[in-house]
Amino acid sequence: QVQLQQSGPGLVKPSQTLSLTCAVSGDSVSSNSAAWNWIRQSPSRGLEWLGRTYYRSKWYNDYAVSVRSRITINPDTSKNHFSLQLNSVTPEDTAVYYCARKVGGAFDIWGQGTVVTVSS
Amino acid sequence: DIVMTQSPDSLAVSLGERATINCKSSQSVLYSSNNRDYLAWYQQKPGQPPKLLIYWASTRESGVPDRFSGSGSGTDFTLTISSLQAEDVAVYYCQQYYSTPPTFGQGTKLEIK
């Protein structure tokens, strides 16, 4: 079955870059029917979609307006994973970060979540 | 962005009784060309990611018990648990995927009375 396995540090200093990776098994990041997303959850913001990458004969990305100037989501087809980079983090970026697959409509497969704290 | 508003924020129901959670979108999520509502429901238990229960407003995800059902269209939707079980204690979220960005409701916490 399809599984998403997240990895990355749980503590990031203010002004630095948050980097997480989501390894995909049982599907391909190059799938023509899936989109690969990052979503975060915090008490103040609830569940917040951050962005996605997907392949439809070429690669596309969409990002939330709130983080558009600071975010990059990249696929890595050789490792069958995709990554999140969020630059210039502040304590407001403290949250649980999830990767998730979207096929057709809803987010059907989620990673286990990574608690990320922004603190010096 | 489409704003999703759930009611109530919390709910306590006796075991075996019906639980009903409502979700309202700030604009219609019904796509007229295919007559589908772009609305999903998720269940989240502590320390776990959200789990997809319902998509297209009323289609149950594989493996989800049939006591869970979704209804509604346009801007008003309902998640019903027909006979509450102890394992249904969780927070429930609705989410629209009609437009980008996809957006979630604030959540409804369901407890046992």
Side-chain angles (χ1 to χ4, degrees):
Chain A
Q1 75 276 23
V2 179
Q3 292 185 315
L4 303 180
Q5 182 68 38
Q6 298 177 218
S7 59
L11 181 63
V12 184
K13 289 181 167 48
S15 80
Q16 295 194 342
T17 297
L18 181 162
S19 296
L20 298 174
T21 297
C22 184
V24 179
S25 59
D27 197 353
S28 169
V29 290
S30 303
S31 165
N32 270 294
S33 59
W36 305 97
N37 299 261
W38 286 98
I39 296 163
R40 68 183 178 183
Q41 184 174 30
S42 65
S44 58
R45 294 174 175 260
L47 284 161
E48 179 187 17
W49 176 82
L50 298 176
R52 64 183 176 186
T53 189
Y54 59 100
Y55 185 77
R56 302 290 184 270
S57 302
K58 68 175 186 176
W59 287 101
Y60 295 88
N61 287 296
D62 294 308
Y63 299 127
V65 169
S66 61
V67 296
R68 187 166 291 160
S69 64
R70 302 191 289 130
I71 190 173
T72 304
I73 296 175
N74 279 326
D76 184 331
T77 57
S78 65
K79 297 179 180 178
N80 203 34
H81 74 204
F82 63 107
S83 62
L84 167 69
Q85 286 196 307
L86 188 65
N87 303 325
S88 305
V89 297
T90 72
E92 286 65 46
D93 294 309
T94 293
V96 180
Y97 286 75
Y98 294 102
C99 58
R101 184 183 79 162
K102 178 177 178 288
V103 173
F107 301 111
D108 65 334
I109 307 292
W110 294 64
Q112 78 275 23
T114 302
V115 178
V116 177
T117 302
V118 179
S119 175
S120 54
Chain B
D1 298 1
I2 297 177
V3 177
M4 308 300 291
T5 304
Q6 294 180 226
S7 62
D9 289 334
S10 63
L11 179 62
V13 174
S14 301
L15 289 172
E17 295 299 304
R18 178 184 301 261
T20 301
I21 298 170
N22 300 302
C23 174
K24 189 174 185 66
S25 56
S26 61
Q27 64 188 75
S28 176
V29 299
L30 173 64
Y31 195 40
S32 56
S33 66
N34 60 11
N35 201 36
R36 283 187 164 183
D37 287 283
Y38 284 53
L39 190 284
W41 288 97
Y42 300 85
Q43 175 192 65
Q44 187 177 31
K45 297 180 178 180
Q48 297 182 18
K51 173 189 173 184
L52 178 63
L53 297 176
I54 303 279
Y55 56 97
W56 302 129
S58 61
T59 301
R60 212 176 295 116
E61 175 74 333
S62 175
V64 173
D66 61 6
R67 64 180 180 272
F68 291 90
S69 63
S71 62
S73 184
T75 61
D76 293 279
F77 301 90
T78 300
L79 174 69
T80 301
I81 307 172
S82 60
S83 177
L84 189 70
Q85 306 299 303
E87 61 265 32
D88 300 335
V89 169
V91 179
Y92 292 83
Y93 296 92
C94 61
Q95 177 239 330
Q96 66 80 21
Y97 46 96
Y98 179 88
S99 65
T100 300
T103 48
F104 294 84
Q106 81 277 17
T108 295
K109 186 175 184 179
L110 177 58
E111 299 174 313
I112 304 294
K113 185 186 293 183

